[in-house]
């Protein structure tokens, strides 16, 4: 145990050492972040302001939109600042907070997607009893349970990752505190595992639910596959474009694409968006006349 250095900060490495490419990377992430921010805030605003959308499914969608905002906000703004300013250092506390918050938002979103799949199952297979089964109390309990499970899961895994000191190296070959990279530089005693379980009661209901939720399931599948590749695949020893793209798929793509899926493919949200734009245009015209 002699001559061991215990690191209290990490160095985040970019794909390219060129300042021009680093700035370009920062601008790209900024554009993605602003697009995600606009799409998700618009989704939440439309659902909150339109009383016709105050049903369990749309309440869950608005929660997912807020979680997408949280997920991408944990990683991307810091990445944009680091890329533009050339800053690479991140403290141990900031790294742990980043991982904890990211896991909370990600796990709560996965839990809510499971709840949403049950909501679609009831709506498709038991439409006459939908209001009796999906009561406001049950929706509140499901949302609270999702948050509780996410907090517990994140606390356990973040605690296990950071329970031992880091003595190997403080270089993270990624643009944020990526869990596989933390595992690479952590003690051999630290073990990490996770599983996702999705169960439905009947094959017929599962097929019907899947047929109506294919885009959402595709994004969830993309998130799970890219995350599994990052965790279970060979961990990069140096910055690479493949490493960057894999991380982007499970940190920025789902929050960016989800508003497009929910707004463009959903007739009710499209109609509510048109009504909101119509009300805004009328308000603007009346205001200009006065």
């Amino acid at each position: 145990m002699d001559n061991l250095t215990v690191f209290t900060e990490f160095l985040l490495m970019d794909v390219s050492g060129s300042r021009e490419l680093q700035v370009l990377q920062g601008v790209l992430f900024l554009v993605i972040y602003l697009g995600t921010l606009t799409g998700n805030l618009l989704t939440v605003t439309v659902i909150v302001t339109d009383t016709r959308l105050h049903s369990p499914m749309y309440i869950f969608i608005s929660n997912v939109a807020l979680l997408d905002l949280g997920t991408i906000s944990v990683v991307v703004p810091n990445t944009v600042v680091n890329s533009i300013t050339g800053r690479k250092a991140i403290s141990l506390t900031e790294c742990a907070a980043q991982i904890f918050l990211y896991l909370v938002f990600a796990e709560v979103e996965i839990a809510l997607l499971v709840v949403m799949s049950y909501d679609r199952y009831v709506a498709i297979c038991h439409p006459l009893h939908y209001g009796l089964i999906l009561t406001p109390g049950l929706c509140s309990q499901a949302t609270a349970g999702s948050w509780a499970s996410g907090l517990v899961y994140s606390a356990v895994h973040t605690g296990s990752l950071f329970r031992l000191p880091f003595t190997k190296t403080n270089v993270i070959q990624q643009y944020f505190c990526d869990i596989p990279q933390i595992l690479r530089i952590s003690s051999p005693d630290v073990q990490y595992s996770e599983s996702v379980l999705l169960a439905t009661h009947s094959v017929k209901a599962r097929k019907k639910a899947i047929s109506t939720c294919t885009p959402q399931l595709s994004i969830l599948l993309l998130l799970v596959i890219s995350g599994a590749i990052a965790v279970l695949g060979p961990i990069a020893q140096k910055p690479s474009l493949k490493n960057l793209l894999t991380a982007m798929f499970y940190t920025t793509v789902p929050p960016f694409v989800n508003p497009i899926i929910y707004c463009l493919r959903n007739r009710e949200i499209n109609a509510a968006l048109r009504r909101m734009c119509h009300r805004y245009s009328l308000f603007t015209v009346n205001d200009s006349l006065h």
Side-chain angles (χ1 to χ4, degrees), residues 32-62:
I32 293 174
Y33 181 68
L34 291 178
T36 304
L37 193 70
T38 303
N40 284 287
L41 285 179
L42 185 61
T43 301
V44 173
T45 302
V46 169
I47 292 174
V48 170
T49 57
D50 197 306
T51 55
R52 302 182 192 183
L53 299 181
H54 291 179
S55 63
M57 181 180 73
Y58 294 107
I59 292 173
F60 291 139
I61 288 177
S62 64

Side-chain angles (χ1 to χ4, degrees), residues 38-285:
T38 303
N40 284 287
L41 285 179
L42 185 61
T43 301
V44 173
T45 302
V46 169
I47 292 174
V48 170
T49 57
D50 197 306
T51 55
R52 302 182 192 183
L53 299 181
H54 291 179
S55 63
M57 181 180 73
Y58 294 107
I59 292 173
F60 291 139
I61 288 177
S62 64
N63 274 274
V64 169
L66 290 174
L67 289 167
D68 282 335
L69 281 179
T71 302
I72 199 170
S73 296
V74 169
V75 174
V76 173
N78 187 64
T79 301
V80 172
V81 173
N82 290 350
S83 298
I84 294 177
T85 63
R87 178 176 174 266
K88 294 184 177 181
I90 182 171
S91 69
L92 180 66
T93 303
E94 290 174 332
C95 186
Q98 192 176 75
I99 288 179
F100 174 79
L101 291 174
Y102 179 82
L103 285 176
V104 167
F105 293 132
E107 293 306 318
V108 173
E109 181 167 344
I110 290 174
L112 278 180
L113 288 174
V114 174
V115 174
M116 288 172 66
S117 70
Y118 179 71
D119 170 84
R120 292 299 83 205
Y121 162 76
V122 174
I124 293 168
C125 298
H126 304 284
L128 298 179
H129 299 89
Y130 180 81
L132 297 176
I133 298 175
L134 269 298
T135 61
L138 181 62
C139 294
S140 299
Q141 292 173 10
T143 303
S146 299
W147 275 99
S149 64
L151 287 169
V152 171
Y153 178 91
S154 180
V156 170
H157 283 276
T158 305
S160 66
L161 282 175
F162 291 89
R163 66 187 177 86
L164 295 177
F166 294 86
T167 57
K168 291 181 179 180
T169 179
N170 68 334
V171 178
I172 296 177
Q173 308 292 352
Q174 193 53 274
Y175 60 88
F176 68 105
C177 280
D178 196 18
I179 291 176
Q181 287 293 322
I182 296 297
L183 286 172
R184 180 180 67 84
I185 63 177
S186 65
S187 167
D189 295 333
V190 175
Q191 301 294 324
Y192 178 84
S193 64
E194 62 179 305
S195 63
V196 177
L197 175 63
L198 177 60
T200 54
H201 290 138
S202 73
V203 174
K204 184 178 178 181
R206 186 189 312 138
K207 289 181 179 179
K208 288 185 177 180
I210 289 176
S211 67
T212 59
C213 303
T214 300
Q216 294 90 327
L217 291 174
S218 299
I219 294 299
L220 179 60
L221 187 63
L222 177 65
L223 186 152
V224 172
I225 290 177
S226 58
I229 290 174
V231 173
L232 302 177
I235 299 175
Q237 304 297 320
K238 60 180 180 179
S240 66
L241 182 60
K242 177 184 176 182
N243 195 30
L244 172 69
L245 292 177
T246 301
M248 284 185 66
F249 269 116
Y250 65 83
T251 57
T252 61
V253 172
F256 181 76
V257 175
N258 275 341
I260 300 175
I261 292 175
Y262 292 131
C263 290
L264 297 184
R265 290 181 57 88
N266 190 291
R267 287 177 295 179
E268 287 80 6
I269 292 183
N270 265 323
L273 182 59
R274 287 193 294 269
R275 288 193 295 269
M276 187 178 72
C277 292
H278 182 65
R279 288 196 302 268
Y280 178 76
S281 61
L282 288 178
F283 176 79
T284 304
V285 170

